[in-house]
Amino acid sequence: MAAPLYTTESGRLFHAGKILVVAVGLPARGKTHISRALERYLRWMGVTTQVFSLGDYRRKRLGSAPSLPPDYFTNGRVSSGDKSPETQKLRREIKDGCEQLILDFYSKEKGQVAIYDANNATKLSRQNLTERFEKEGVHIIFLESLCDDQETVMANIRSVKITSPDYKNWPPEEAVKDYMSRIKDHERYYQPMDEGDKSYIKIINVSERMMVNRIQGYLQSRIVFFLQNIHNKYRTIYLARSGQSLIEHSYKADSDLSPAGWEYAERLKEFVLERRAKNLEHRRKMGLPVDENKLVVWTSARRRSHHTAWPFLHSGYRVVEKPIMSEINPGIWDGLSPELARERYPDEWERFLKDPYAHRAPRAESYHDLSVRLEPVIMELEREQDDLLIIGHASVIRCLLAYLIGLPASEVPAVEIARGDLVEVQPASYGVHSQAFHFWSGPGRSHENGEENDGTNYYENYAEATAGKRVASTGGATHMEALA
């Protein structure tokens, strides 16, 4: 298992050097979605990674589509049929400026993998990129996304016209029409990858088929492995804690739900279905297919997790137990409050505070160990195409949520999710949208000031509590807002 790994003294992993993944393809072929998904995965592995979007850079410098010269995207808008010298100069300046940011990422930030999200549609442009970056010691992998499935292309267009900053406040059909004109212009000069002397990965119809050429080394192989598991179907991922159990603070005790826990389970089902109905209506407005019954529920094999999903099971939804989704093993700290752990094991506690992510108490798991254990779940999560509800333990949700919203591994222990909150995550082409909704204030949930309303800690295991674990001034909720 590869995830997440420790950084070497050079700041880069695997001694793989600097890698530039260059997106290639026509518009609406999923390049941005693939780029963002790959960025999340590599960051979760501990690789310093960043996406550089030519479109984002252009919007920052020049504004959105209406403020651009009329011939910026398509030749067909002007009678001469060619871009003006002023427009050509402007496009070169934008391209050179974005590529300079990539070079600065390697030299100033010890970056290892940069992902260049642009069309890069001609052999000449790709050759120029190769010459510019290889002389700086950067290995280039071209990542081409091809799609001849018109249904998929139209779904991408309708998704992009909603989420792209270029089409903010545009009438939907006008946005689709404008985007189609961009695609037709690009089709006139697009040259598919066939340069046998270059490293490349071809993805056909997003996940239908893949071709690779001159891929070598561990990190490059992990990139290929991840890309084999993704898709760009629109779906929503929900995450929630399991209900309160009869024995709350013991890892060894596989306790059943308390009466309040069963009430919580019913309320969770009602709230998830309420939220999902609103999301499905939003999809209908986007023109995307809707299936109200396609909701899958994942739980661990622990009673409190699986039994929280029983209301969904009895309503006909598919519930899947995943034993590897059990909570983190606290070892000698099982059942201890943070205060008792600090009192009985002061040396261990000090080591824990210095590195909450990597520290492993005697006979326990670290968050690093847990993240490695959860890698198969991450891959299944990427492959899952239906809406997904994960009912899990606090430690497991921390790891999965950190992955989904792109947090570095060091911040996993600081992510907080209270029992009674539902986190809703929607992967999209232009970033991951996430928000939390409060639906339960009964027994098992703490007050905002940290005091318990029923005399018990709302974390399933005292060793899972985030007290003392913060490594930054901002916690998981703040990060979700910033990245949404």
Side-chain angles (χ1 to χ4, degrees):
M1 295 301 181
L5 297 179
Y6 301 104
T7 304
T8 62
E9 187 175 348
S10 69
R12 299 189 175 101
L13 302 178
F14 313 117
H15 307 288
K18 296 174 285 188
I19 296 174
L20 174 60
V21 178
V22 178
V24 177
L26 292 168
R29 264 59 180 181
K31 298 187 302 299
T32 298
H33 178 88
I34 293 170
S35 297
R36 298 291 179 183
L38 181 59
E39 178 189 41
R40 288 198 309 273
Y41 177 68
L42 292 177
R43 282 184 175 179
W44 175 72
M45 287 179 63
V47 180
T48 306
T49 307
Q50 186 171 336
V51 170
F52 294 85
S53 167
L54 187 63
D56 287 347
Y57 182 79
R58 180 256 305 161
R59 280 183 285 271
K60 185 176 181 180
R61 288 283 306 275
L62 305 177
S64 60
S67 60
L68 298 174
D71 60 341
Y72 193 91
F73 289 116
T74 174
N75 297 329
R77 296 184 188 178
V78 290
S79 58
S80 65
D82 293 318
K83 290 179 174 61
S84 67
E86 293 79 10
T87 298
Q88 293 179 36
K89 180 183 177 183
L90 188 60
R91 288 174 65 91
R92 281 195 301 270
E93 289 175 354
I94 294 300
K95 185 174 183 293
D96 289 343
C98 186
E99 291 172 12
Q100 185 58 50
L101 288 181
I102 298 174
L103 291 171
D104 292 343
F105 169 71
Y106 293 122
S107 62
K108 298 178 181 179
E109 302 177 41
K110 287 188 175 181
Q112 181 158 25
V113 177
I115 304 171
Y116 188 18
D117 180 15
N119 293 321
N120 299 300
T122 66
K123 293 181 180 180
L124 178 60
S125 66
R126 297 193 288 264
Q127 183 58 36
N128 290 339
L129 269 175
T130 301
E131 293 173 359
R132 181 174 188 180
F133 283 92
E134 284 191 347
K135 71 179 182 181
E136 302 293 336
V138 179
H139 178 71
I140 294 182
I141 301 174
F142 292 98
L143 175 56
E144 184 177 29
S145 182
L146 299 170
C147 187
D148 55 14
D149 183 343
Q150 291 307 306
E151 184 177 332
T152 299
V153 172
M154 284 306 300
N156 287 344
I157 292 172
R158 293 195 172 277
S159 176
V160 167
K161 72 108 164 58
I162 294 294
T163 59
S164 171
D166 276 338
Y167 296 110
K168 187 176 181 180
N169 300 324
W170 278 50
E173 294 310 315
E174 187 176 336
V176 170
K177 183 179 178 181
D178 184 85
Y179 204 76
M180 288 292 292
S181 70
R182 289 195 200 181
I183 295 174
K184 289 179 181 178
D185 182 69
H186 281 79
E187 287 174 343
R188 293 163 52 187
Y189 61 84
Y190 181 71
Q191 297 173 308
M193 281 291 308
D194 62 1
E195 297 96 315
D197 61 330
K198 292 179 171 56
S199 299
Y200 64 75
I201 304 167
K202 284 178 180 276
I203 300 177
I204 295 105
N205 291 331
V206 184
S207 57
E208 183 180 284
R209 191 156 53 96
M210 179 183 288
M211 299 170 60
V212 299
N213 186 64
R214 292 180 176 267
I215 297 297
Q216 57 186 353
Y218 186 73
L219 184 52
Q220 296 180 39
S221 298
R222 296 300 301 187
I223 290 172
V224 172
F225 169 71
F226 175 74
L227 294 174
Q228 289 175 322
N229 287 277
I230 66 172
H231 63 86
N232 68 342
K233 297 288 180 64
Y234 195 92
R235 42 78 180 263
T236 303
I237 301 167
Y238 305 92
L239 301 104
R241 295 275 305 277
S242 56
Q244 185 190 54
S245 57
L246 293 168
I247 304 175
E248 278 281 270
H249 310 308
S250 173
Y251 173 80
K252 297 176 182 176
D254 187 11
S255 175
D256 208 339
L257 292 175
S258 68
W262 288 108
E263 293 177 15
Y264 170 95
E266 290 289 345
R267 179 61 190 136
L268 173 62
K269 186 199 83 169
E270 293 170 2
F271 189 75
V272 168
L273 297 184
E274 289 171 14
R275 284 298 314 160
R276 189 161 182 264
K278 294 179 180 178
N279 289 327
L280 293 178
E281 181 59 31
H282 177 64
R283 286 186 217 178
R284 289 188 184 95
K285 292 179 180 179
M286 291 173 61
L288 298 174
V290 169
D291 189 333
E292 296 185 6
N293 295 319
K294 286 198 172 181
L295 172 68
V296 181
V297 183
W298 290 358
T299 76
S300 78
R302 307 284 279 184
R303 284 191 179 95
R304 60 178 173 272
S305 176
H306 183 67
H307 286 180
T308 304
W310 271 19
F312 292 93
L313 186 65
H314 293 158
S315 296
Y317 293 97
R318 185 161 65 96
V319 176
V320 182
E321 283 189 32
K322 295 186 178 295
I324 60 174
M325 279 176 48
S326 293
E327 69 268 44
I328 194 170
N329 186 341
I332 60 170
W333 288 350
D334 186 23
L336 299 183
S337 68
E339 292 73 24
L340 280 176
R342 186 185 302 114
E343 177 184 332
R344 296 183 186 180
Y345 305 98
D347 294 340
E348 286 294 335
W349 187 260
E350 286 303 314
R351 287 192 285 269
F352 167 69
L353 291 181
K354 289 179 180 177
D355 193 351
Y357 174 75
H359 178 266
R360 182 187 300 115
R363 299 189 295 281
E365 286 181 299
S366 66
Y367 270 92
H368 175 83
D369 298 329
L370 178 60
S371 296
V372 172
R373 166 154 63 89
L374 290 174
E375 186 182 28
V377 175
I378 293 288
M379 291 300 105
E380 287 188 65
L381 188 153
E382 288 291 350
R383 288 194 296 269
E384 182 61 63
Q385 298 187 19
D386 296 333
D387 286 353
L388 175 63
L389 167 64
I390 297 175
I391 301 175
H393 311 281
S395 53
V396 172
I397 291 179
R398 286 186 190 117
C399 292
L400 297 180
L401 190 55
Y403 166 76
L404 286 168
I405 64 178
L407 295 181
S410 62
E411 297 190 31
V412 168
V415 175
E416 294 188 44
I417 175 169
R419 177 179 290 138
D421 286 352
L422 178 72
V423 178
E424 187 176 286
V425 180
Q426 293 173 330
S429 295
Y430 288 86
V432 172
H433 304 289
S434 61
Q435 50 189 331
F437 300 91
H438 173 62
F439 68 91
W440 171 265
S441 298
R445 178 183 172 88
S446 85
H447 294 300
E448 294 297 324
N449 62 7
E451 297 175 359
E452 289 88 19
N453 60 1
D454 63 349
T456 59
N457 189 299
Y458 71 94
Y459 289 97
E460 291 137 333
N461 222 295
Y462 276 128
E464 292 186 56
T466 57
K469 289 186 181 181
R470 279 190 199 280
V471 293
S473 59
T474 54
T478 303
H479 281 295
M480 281 192 285
E481 292 165 7
L483 295 175

